[in-house]
Amino acid sequence: MATDYGMQTREHRMPAALRAPFEGRTWREFTYLMLSLPISVVLFSFAITLFSLGAGLVITFLGIPVLAAGLAMCRGFGAMERARAKALLRVEVAAPAPVRGRTRGLMPWVGAVLKSGASWRHLVYSLIHFPWAVFAFCVSLTLWAYAWAMFTYPLWQWVFPLYTGTGGIQLYGDTHHSVYLDNPFEITLTSLSGLLLVLATPWVIRGLASVDRLMVAGLLGPSRLDSRVTELESDRGVVVDTAAADLRRIERDLHDGAQARLVALAMDLGLAKEKLTADPEAAARMVDEAHGEVKIALQELRDLARGIHPAVLTDRGLDAALSAVASRCTVPVQVEVDLPARPAAAIEGIAYFTVSELLQNISKHARATRAGVDVWRVDDRIMLQVTDDGRGGADTSAGSGLAGLAERLDAVDGLLVVDSPPGGPTTIIAELPWRD
């Protein structure tokens, strides 16, 4: 185990330029570039043939189904290319939206394929990937072969016999006037040049593979509109789940808090009514206790209403509302709000509840002695920063309150950034869109 650890440490400390020729990434990308040429030949031939055939037969109406079939086959090849990129380039590209209309007959399906932007992007990929694959194949294979041939030249130069009795590869000339790489200096210089090429070739291969990554992601994946629709559908699900959770919380708070207290209050008043004539003093004590219960129930209802949407937020805005929240925190909180105007009510409410939840976390978990809240506007975004000098260690891992808060902000194109090293201090920045 000690030997393995030492080897791993030395390999880790080896400069990246020296590790690159032997890394798995280099060999995977080189394999990808080598496979791209034969695969692109098939894709190009297939795409250009079916496209030409379909375009030529359009006048007979047979060309439209042929063209649609060709586009559908290109989508199938695209799925294969995405799988190859995932295995060798370690890039995962989501599949584009499926073609609609598959179950409604042939012609609706043909129309859906022809109107699908993803289908045409797959065709474009099949056409333009071929010249690029030829270029990348020639450059990478040539560099790879020449680099290792020159680097290992001292090991195999003897296979070229000369009339002088030595061995070396012939650079130029004829039988009588030739120049050979046969003396120690030239052999050493060739090997050193080969070493430089061996070290440089992996980076050239990585550059070529990066272009392939861009082509696969840009042409074989979903469009920006499709991605945006998927994101909005996910955000809508988060909003619905959050609203349902809030309704369950409100129902639970009402049932376990104010409702239970009011039921007990009604029972106490009923008993007091029965004792009013028989034992007026006991009835008076029970009414007095009921009066206290009413006050507590009213306070609980006020707290619940504040949790739904505080009146001070509606009437006076974020500055006053956040100051009220800070006053209830267990540590001193300095609040600074610098906004030129009030944002939309929905954004203002999310900002309020974000800061409120973060301050609750400070009260419960941070063990801090002071905290701060800063709110300001940058261009079309509203920025919230909550800091404390507590023990730190906050994170947005799954299951934590911060994870749920991050999901709520993401549902409205917001962002939550947490910087909380162990031992503190903690800085949490929330970003929301500004909407008037």
Side-chain angles (χ1 to χ4, degrees):
M1 291 295 293
T3 303
D4 293 340
Y5 178 78
M7 293 176 62
Q8 293 174 4
T9 302
R10 288 194 296 271
E11 182 180 359
H12 179 72
R13 292 178 178 176
M14 185 184 298
L18 300 180
R19 295 197 314 267
F22 310 101
E23 286 182 336
R25 173 185 175 181
T26 301
W27 289 95
R28 289 194 308 270
E29 293 178 345
F30 180 69
T31 302
Y32 184 91
L33 296 177
M34 293 299 99
L35 292 176
S36 289
L37 180 59
I39 291 176
S40 66
V41 169
V42 176
L43 293 181
F44 180 83
S45 302
F46 177 85
I48 201 69
T49 300
L50 280 185
F51 182 76
S52 302
L53 180 62
L57 293 175
V58 166
I59 192 172
T60 66
F61 189 70
L62 293 176
I64 295 178
V66 171
L67 184 57
L71 292 175
M73 292 296 292
C74 287
R75 289 177 68 105
F77 285 129
M80 179 192 69
E81 285 293 272
R82 288 192 297 271
R84 187 166 70 98
K86 180 180 179 181
L88 297 176
L89 298 184
R90 296 296 191 263
V91 55
E92 188 167 357
V93 179
V99 176
R100 307 299 180 185
R102 290 184 180 273
T103 60
R104 295 180 298 170
L106 176 62
M107 296 314 298
W109 176 82
V110 169
V113 172
L114 294 177
K115 289 187 292 185
S116 171
S119 300
W120 292 99
R121 291 199 306 273
H122 281 68
L123 176 63
V124 171
Y125 176 86
S126 301
L127 297 178
I128 70 173
H129 187 252
F130 171 67
W132 169 253
V134 173
F135 173 78
F137 179 91
C138 294
V139 171
S140 57
L141 182 60
T142 301
L143 282 177
W144 194 272
Y146 270 89
W148 284 100
M150 294 172 64
F151 179 53
T152 60
Y153 181 65
L155 302 179
W156 56 269
Q157 56 88 22
W158 56 270
V159 303
F160 296 94
L162 299 180
Y163 297 107
T164 58
T166 62
I169 192 172
Q170 182 179 352
L171 290 181
Y172 60 88
D174 53 22
T175 304
H176 303 287
H177 301 284
S178 304
V179 176
Y180 298 88
L181 294 176
D182 58 352
N183 63 66
F185 174 76
E186 293 174 343
I187 294 173
T188 302
L189 184 61
T190 300
S191 182
L192 290 177
S193 301
L195 175 61
L196 294 178
L197 274 179
V198 167
L199 298 177
T201 299
W203 303 101
V204 176
I205 290 175
R206 293 183 181 185
L208 297 173
S210 297
V211 177
D212 278 278
R213 287 188 178 91
L214 293 176
M215 293 176 65
V216 171
L219 296 175
L220 301 184
S223 65
R224 291 185 177 181
L225 178 59
D226 292 337
S227 300
R228 184 58 177 164
V229 169
T230 303
E231 181 182 351
L232 290 176
E233 289 178 349
S234 175
D235 292 344
R236 181 182 62 182
V238 171
V239 170
V240 171
D241 292 342
T242 300
D246 288 340
L247 287 175
R248 289 193 298 269
R249 176 182 59 82
I250 294 171
E251 181 182 7
R252 185 179 62 252
D253 291 343
L254 282 173
H255 182 272
D256 298 338
Q259 180 179 344
R261 194 174 298 279
L262 290 174
V263 170
L265 175 61
M267 296 175 61
D268 290 341
L269 289 176
L271 293 175
K273 182 179 179 181
E274 294 177 357
K275 293 186 176 182
L276 185 59
T277 56
D279 190 355
E281 294 183 0
R285 288 195 302 269
M286 296 180 68
V287 170
D288 186 62
E289 293 175 359
H291 183 258
E293 292 292 323
V294 169
K295 291 182 178 180
I296 296 175
L298 287 174
Q299 183 61 43
E300 290 181 352
L301 290 174
R302 290 193 188 99
D303 293 338
L304 182 60
R306 188 184 296 114
I308 297 173
H309 193 85
V312 65
L313 178 63
T314 303
D315 298 337
R316 301 174 57 189
L318 270 178
D319 194 357
L322 294 182
S323 298
V325 172
S327 66
R328 297 194 296 270
C329 188
T330 58
V331 300
V333 181
Q334 182 178 357
V335 179
E336 293 187 9
V337 178
D338 184 14
L339 296 178
R342 295 183 62 173
I347 298 300
E348 196 173 52
I350 294 174
Y352 169 81
F353 290 115
T354 298
V355 175
S356 178
E357 187 164 342
L358 293 176
L359 290 180
Q360 288 181 17
N361 288 341
I362 292 175
S363 299
K364 295 178 181 178
H365 310 294
R367 300 179 184 175
T369 59
R370 63 180 183 275
V373 175
D374 295 299
V375 183
W376 70 98
R377 178 178 178 177
V378 177
D379 297 329
D380 60 344
R381 311 290 285 182
I382 179 172
M383 311 295 295
L384 315 171
Q385 178 176 283
V386 179
T387 60
D388 68 78
D389 61 351
R391 60 179 180 175
D395 62 74
T396 56
S397 59
S400 69
L402 290 178
L405 187 59
E407 290 181 354
R408 292 189 182 190
L409 294 179
D410 185 66
V412 292
D413 290 335
L415 182 67
L416 186 72
V417 179
V418 178
D419 179 18
S420 182
T426 296
T427 299
I428 300 178
I429 297 178
E431 180 180 333
L432 288 166
W434 180 278
R435 297 171 186 168
D436 296 324

